[in-house]
Each structure stands twice: as structure tokens, then as C-alpha cells.
Amino acid sequence: MHACSVGRKLGCQAIYVPRLAGAFCALGTLNMPIKHEFGRALLRSLGPCASSTVGPLFAEFERRARSQLDSDGFAAGEIEIRRELELRHPG
């Protein structure tokens, strides 16, 4: 979709667009790992009680994720759970 403008900015003389680009895109989507994300925004200070606030949220997300992946047909040994926080400075 952006090949011409990117190629022009890079000084390319020609660009290559595969004839079956849409099919390759769909094939890539079919072959990528299944991933579910659960999240919630909490706007508060991160202090000593953060684990008592965040811990139960992570536990609930993990329960929901395992339930979803179980209904997707995955065995417990095939499931990988990652916990992440996105933090920011005040202001």
C-alpha cells in the first residue's frame, strides 16, 4: 500500500509487489500464534500497596485467558502467560 512512497524516499528505481500479496498476508495471519490480551487502565500512584491492587487484576486476567485458550482447544502445557505493566511519570 505504501511501497511507492517508501521506495521513492529510499531512492529505489523499482519496487516489487508480489502478485499474490493479499494471499500471502492471509496465509501469514493463519500461521501466526494465537494471542489474547487483557488489560485495564488504572490511573493512580504506584506505591507500596500496588501489588495488592495489581495482583488480583493479573489473577483475573490469567483466569480469563486460560478459560479462553481452553475453549480455543489448547492444552495447559501449550499456554504461555506474560504479565506486563505500562507505567508513566506523573504529568
Side-chain angles (χ1 to χ4, degrees):
M1 194 164 128
H2 303 285
C4 292
S5 61
V6 171
R8 190 176 304 115
K9 288 179 181 180
L10 293 173
C12 297
Q13 297 297 314
I15 59 166
Y16 174 72
V17 179
R19 185 168 48 103
L20 300 173
F24 289 139
C25 181
L27 184 62
T29 300
L30 289 173
N31 287 306
M32 62 188 232
I34 292 178
K35 176 180 177 180
H36 297 288
E37 293 185 8
F38 299 89
R40 181 174 300 158
L42 294 173
L43 299 177
R44 60 180 65 168
S45 296
L46 184 64
C49 63
S51 62
S52 64
T53 301
V54 176
L57 287 174
F58 276 144
E60 172 62 18
F61 293 152
E62 185 170 334
R63 186 196 62 73
R64 288 174 47 199
R66 289 189 185 282
S67 175
Q68 178 65 54
L69 290 166
D70 181 56
S71 69
D72 289 343
F74 289 94
E78 297 176 295
I79 296 173
E80 176 186 341
I81 303 288
R82 288 194 311 189
R83 296 177 173 193
E84 297 178 0
L85 289 175
E86 292 183 16
L87 305 173
R88 66 183 180 99
H89 290 283

